[in-house]
Structures are given as C-alpha cells and as structure tokens.
Amino acid sequence: MSDTAPLTAFKVTICGLSELPGLCNGDVTHLLSLLDMHHPPPEAFGGLNGVDHELLRFDDVVAEFPGFTACTNADVERILAFGARLHAAGASARHVIVHCHAGISRSTASAAVLMAQFNPGRETEAFLSLLRMRPHAWPNTRIVEMADRILDRKGALLDGLVAYRRALLENKPQLRQIIINIGRGHELP
C-alpha cells in the first residue's frame, strides 16, 4: 500500500444488511445501498434523516441470466455520481457506508471504485484496502469492468481487482474452492 495521502478524507464502512442497524448512527453522512430487485427496504433506512442516500437495485450476478437483473452502465453511472457528490461534499462528508446483502460482492466492488474514482493511478491500493476492511470479500467483476470503461482507466481497476484477489487467495487459499462452488470460478486469477 502507498505511503501517500489517504484515498479518501472520509471514513468508509462496508457491510451487509445484518450489520446496518448498528452502523446507521449520527456520524453517517452518506449511504450507498445495493439491494436485490425485490428486497424490501430495511428498517434501518427509517433513521436516515439528513443522510445522502443512494439506493440501487440489481442482483449480485456478474453476467445477464434469466430471472436475474444484472447491473447496467446506468447503475454504475449512479454509483459514480454518488462518488462525485461525496467528493464535492468535502469536509462535510465524514462517514460513508456502502452495503449490499452480505457485504461481500456488490458493496466491496462499489467501495473500491469510489475510493479509486478520484485517485487515478491508485486503483490497486483501493482494492488492496479491502483486505483490511472486508477480509472475505469477492468484489463483483461486472461493476468493476463497467466502472473501468466509464472512467476510462484502461484496465487499471481490473488490475487492482486481480491484485486484490491474488493477495486474498494467498492469505486464504481455502476460498478458491468456495468461489468455484458458487459458480464464479472463472473469476479466479
């Protein structure tokens, strides 16, 4: 990781739905929610007065499959617009929570993209920071691919994702079989 300035001036928390109620307190200024298409809004959303909240709905898939809704370019553009609002908020952006159902795939991909969005050249650092934040994460490749294209990073976000996955599997080789078992073995580096 880099010895340069922090990637963000604000705290970033990644979580799943079960962790959300304990985190939605007075210091949260921004919340990015990535929910399945038909999941009801969590009760924790009721206490978000004054929080900049972006809710996106798509399923945790990395390709288009019948019966599932994959993220689109428009969804990733909304994630990046949320990042632009965070950046524009300056010092008033103190704490952002990025969550999906389990805090493993959609949220980690989105959080890494947000951390890299205004830090070109530091994409790998953004992804490697996930090792500390969510040590069992497997970021959604589709989100990263689309963000890389939209931000014109010429593969740098994808390189960061691969570096993260290599480091994760080096530390936790047992995850390799789990990734294969959930049908995402094609994403192994």
Side-chain angles (χ1 to χ4, degrees), residues 12 15 43 46 166-167:
V12 177
C15 70
E43 288 182 23
R166 282 193 176 121

Side-chain angles (χ1 to χ4, degrees), residues 79-141:
I79 292 168
L80 295 171
F82 178 80
R85 292 197 311 269
L86 269 168
H87 187 72
S92 66
R94 295 180 309 280
H95 184 186
V96 60
I97 294 177
V98 182
H99 83 89
C100 58
H101 284 266
I104 293 174
S105 182
R106 289 169 287 184
S107 58
T108 57
S110 298
V113 165
L114 289 172
M115 290 186 285
Q117 183 175 0
F118 291 97
N119 291 293
R122 297 177 73 187
E123 294 85 356
T124 297
E125 182 183 349
F127 277 95
L128 291 177
S129 72
L130 297 175
L131 292 169
R132 174 179 38 78
M133 299 169 75
R134 293 301 274 191
H136 291 81
W138 196 260
N140 184 292
T141 302

Side-chain angles (χ1 to χ4, degrees), residues 66-83:
F68 294 92
T69 302
C71 74
T72 64
N73 276 322
D75 293 317
V76 176
E77 287 169 356
R78 285 180 59 195
I79 292 168
L80 295 171
F82 178 80

Side-chain angles (χ1 to χ4, degrees), residues 4-107:
T4 60
L7 287 164
T8 65
F10 45 85
K11 178 181 175 182
V12 177
T13 301
I14 304 167
C15 70
L17 280 175
S18 64
E19 301 159 276
L20 194 58
L23 294 170
C24 286
N25 55 39
D27 78 330
V28 174
T29 57
H30 294 76
L31 176 67
L32 177 61
S33 299
L34 307 153
L35 296 178
D36 291 347
M37 289 302 294
H38 304 292
H39 194 280
E43 288 182 23
F45 286 2
L48 296 176
N49 298 334
V51 173
D52 182 341
H53 182 207
E54 187 73 33
L55 170 61
L56 289 95
R57 290 189 176 276
F58 55 85
D59 296 311
D60 185 22
V61 292
V62 295
E64 294 184 20
F65 296 107
F68 294 92
T69 302
C71 74
T72 64
N73 276 322
D75 293 317
V76 176
E77 287 169 356
R78 285 180 59 195
I79 292 168
L80 295 171
F82 178 80
R85 292 197 311 269
L86 269 168
H87 187 72
S92 66
R94 295 180 309 280
H95 184 186
V96 60
I97 294 177
V98 182
H99 83 89
C100 58
H101 284 266
I104 293 174
S105 182
R106 289 169 287 184
S107 58

